[in-house]
Amino acid sequence: MNRPERPKSRPLRRVLVANRGEIALRVIRACRVSGLGAVAVYSDADRTAAHVAAADEAHRIGPPPAAQSYLSVGAIIDAARTAGADAVHPGYGFLAENPALAQACADAGLVFVGPPAATLERCGDKAETRRAARGAGVPILPGTDPLDDAALAREAGRIGFPVLLKAAGGGGGKGIHLVRAAADLADAVRLARGEARGAFGDDRVYVEKWLDRARHVEVQILADAAGSLVHLGERECSIQRRHQKVIEEAPSPALDASLRDAMGRAAVAAARAVGYVNAGTVEFVVSGREFYFLEINARLQVEHPVTEMVTGRDLACLQLAIAGGAPLGFGQDGVAVRGHAIEARISAEDPDAGFVPWVGRVGEAVLPGGPGVRVDGALVAGMEVTRFYDPILAKVIAWGETRADAIARLAQAMRETVITGVPTTVPFHRWALAHPVFREGSYTTRFVETEWESRDRTPPDGAAEAAATLAHLAGRAVPAPVSRDGGAWAQAARRDALS
């Protein structure tokens, strides 16, 4: 077993948020709640973005391509130094799991809000992580180390098709491809390497056995630098398109108390085996009553709000506290799950065309409210959805005393949500929340493939009139993005926008 590394930490004052969009806003809010200053960064494509306006100050880090802005370690460190920040929060995606940023922070005397570089390096090596988990007694699936193309072909044949190609350096579903036959492997490897290179700056891929009609369940973990480590229950993440989650809920409707307890203990064991510190997620695939370790996502997850809603724990604030050297402050007995929470990711995608990502300008944006409903997002009327970044616009989370209550609240929230100008996943969410398989909680990772793709596409009465109304709204004059004057930084950003 690896001893937990002890990252250098100190009470924080001012945090640079090395991300964009809804997660940047989420972290900025956590900084406010924690009494910390918040610094934003932005590319030229995000000059008028909501997270820029929300921070105390904002710094340009480059042109729109992520490789020249949000994936530039040097630009992030330079911005932190210029702003006088003493810590960097990476959010999720981009550099969140890249040990180079964590190490650059350490070298620059900055606190990295996340695991130390060595732990990120260990978790990023999926093969090493699997070996560590297996050594801790956690069951794993057959798989390989990151390999070259020829070795991947050889090992995939040995494991047996279908297999899953996965990016070694990242997560979030990017760089993942299901390969059902050997003849399809070469093209899938090329695509996976390209996606992984673009998203994480690392084109290494590996192969893992694919389990059909299984469930994807993950366990939230939290650890401080003194070695205290707990889990905060599981999240059910089986509703996916392109191996990326679109609906998540907590707790999982597939687990009973004994399986839930076993997976929680396995997650803690796997995290201890790699010496984990700060917030992270241990991912599993579940088939019947068997579960297998997949990987550790060494960051905050997109779907973390459902855990916050059922546990009452603010994970982003806890991340900041742990990075500042505070103890966890509670043990496993202090974790209680109450009620049920479900999250719907709203992305600029066309569900009727295979969830293809979409670019364009958002017209109207009406978001829901009401008891038990939370919206995390950076969506405003008039914002531009570009090809440079993930098309996620917002997350709508509903909580209820029971799963049925949470479904009812989220379904109502989706009925209230109106977004024009670009297609979104809202129609899919309305359909899914009414589907009997979802309402029974008996779905698997093939739900979208088997239920959505084969659905009755006959438009209901009145659909044509509704479509005409939406088309009219989308064609109306687009209001200017909302921005508030925050002082010199805003003026600088405005000058950039006008230049």
Side-chain angles (χ1 to χ4, degrees), residues 266-308:
V268 168
R272 286 201 186 282
V274 299
Y276 204 85
V277 179
N278 213 282
T281 299
V282 182
E283 298 204 336
F284 298 94
V285 59
V286 179
S287 180
R289 294 195 58 79
E290 303 296 323
F291 65 90
Y292 304 93
F293 171 88
L294 291 177
E295 62 186 31
I296 296 177
N297 290 149
R299 55 178 164 81
L300 198 63
Q301 295 278 80
V302 177
E303 58 272 21
H304 74 275
V306 294
T307 296
E308 294 182 326

Side-chain angles (χ1 to χ4, degrees), residues 226-265:
S228 297
L229 200 162
V230 301
H231 72 82
L232 281 77
E234 83 281 0
R235 293 185 288 259
E236 170 70 58
C237 305
S238 297
I239 305 292
Q240 304 179 359
R241 85 287 188 230
R242 300 193 307 273
H243 306 290
Q244 293 179 308
K245 305 155 190 170
V246 64
I247 296 177
E248 303 96 344
E249 58 180 312
S252 167
L255 305 189
D256 60 22
S258 63
L259 188 53
R260 177 170 293 117
D261 180 63
M263 292 183 66
R265 285 187 281 108

Side-chain angles (χ1 to χ4, degrees), residues 148-172:
D148 61 29
D149 291 6
L152 280 172
R154 185 171 59 252
E155 289 301 308
R158 180 185 62 79
I159 292 170
F161 291 91
V163 297
L164 206 59
L165 277 175
K166 303 179 75 173

Side-chain angles (χ1 to χ4, degrees), residues 426-435 447-448 451-453 455-456:
V426 170
F428 168 79
H429 292 307
R430 292 173 182 154
W431 170 88
L433 291 165
H435 196 284
F447 177 77
V448 170
E451 305 298 333
W452 172 254
E453 301 298 340
R455 72 194 186 284
D456 181 0

Side-chain angles (χ1 to χ4, degrees), residues 425-447:
T425 49
V426 170
F428 168 79
H429 292 307
R430 292 173 182 154
W431 170 88
L433 291 165
H435 196 284
V437 172
F438 181 84
R439 298 179 80 89
E440 291 167 1
S442 57
Y443 57 84
T444 71
T445 52
R446 292 187 62 188
F447 177 77

Side-chain angles (χ1 to χ4, degrees), residues 71 89 112 189 201 416 460 493:
L71 284 171
H89 192 304
F112 179 76
V189 169
E416 294 178 14

Side-chain angles (χ1 to χ4, degrees), residues 61-281:
I61 53 171
Q68 300 172 48
S69 52
Y70 297 104
L71 284 171
S72 171
V73 173
I76 297 295
I77 297 299
D78 287 346
R81 283 173 166 156
T82 301
D86 54 7
V88 173
H89 192 304
Y92 55 68
F94 293 130
L95 295 168
E97 296 181 86
N98 191 326
L101 178 61
Q103 188 58 54
C105 286
D107 294 343
L110 301 166
V111 174
F112 179 76
V113 183
T119 302
L120 288 173
E121 188 87 43
R122 198 171 299 135
C123 292
D125 186 334
K126 309 301 183 185
E128 180 179 344
T129 310
R130 282 202 303 273
R131 284 193 293 271
R134 183 171 54 193
V138 180
I140 65 170
L141 284 171
T144 73
D145 290 348
L147 300 170
D148 61 29
D149 291 6
L152 280 172
R154 185 171 59 252
E155 289 301 308
R158 180 185 62 79
I159 292 170
F161 291 91
V163 297
L164 206 59
L165 277 175
K166 303 179 75 173
K174 294 183 175 63
I176 295 181
H177 289 267
L178 174 62
V179 186
R180 295 192 179 278
D184 302 326
L185 184 64
D187 285 345
V189 169
R190 179 176 52 79
L191 288 172
R193 290 197 191 282
E195 291 173 7
R197 189 184 306 115
F200 314 114
D202 180 352
D203 67 357
R204 294 177 304 148
V205 298
Y206 66 101
V207 67
E208 194 172 74
K209 182 64 181 174
W210 166 256
L211 291 182
D212 199 17
R213 299 185 187 278
R215 301 185 72 122
H216 185 131
V217 179
E218 62 188 26
V219 178
Q220 178 69 51
I221 55 169
L222 203 57
D224 67 18
S228 297
L229 200 162
V230 301
H231 72 82
L232 281 77
E234 83 281 0
R235 293 185 288 259
E236 170 70 58
C237 305
S238 297
I239 305 292
Q240 304 179 359
R241 85 287 188 230
R242 300 193 307 273
H243 306 290
Q244 293 179 308
K245 305 155 190 170
V246 64
I247 296 177
E248 303 96 344
E249 58 180 312
S252 167
L255 305 189
D256 60 22
S258 63
L259 188 53
R260 177 170 293 117
D261 180 63
M263 292 183 66
R265 285 187 281 108
V268 168
R272 286 201 186 282
V274 299
Y276 204 85
V277 179
N278 213 282
T281 299

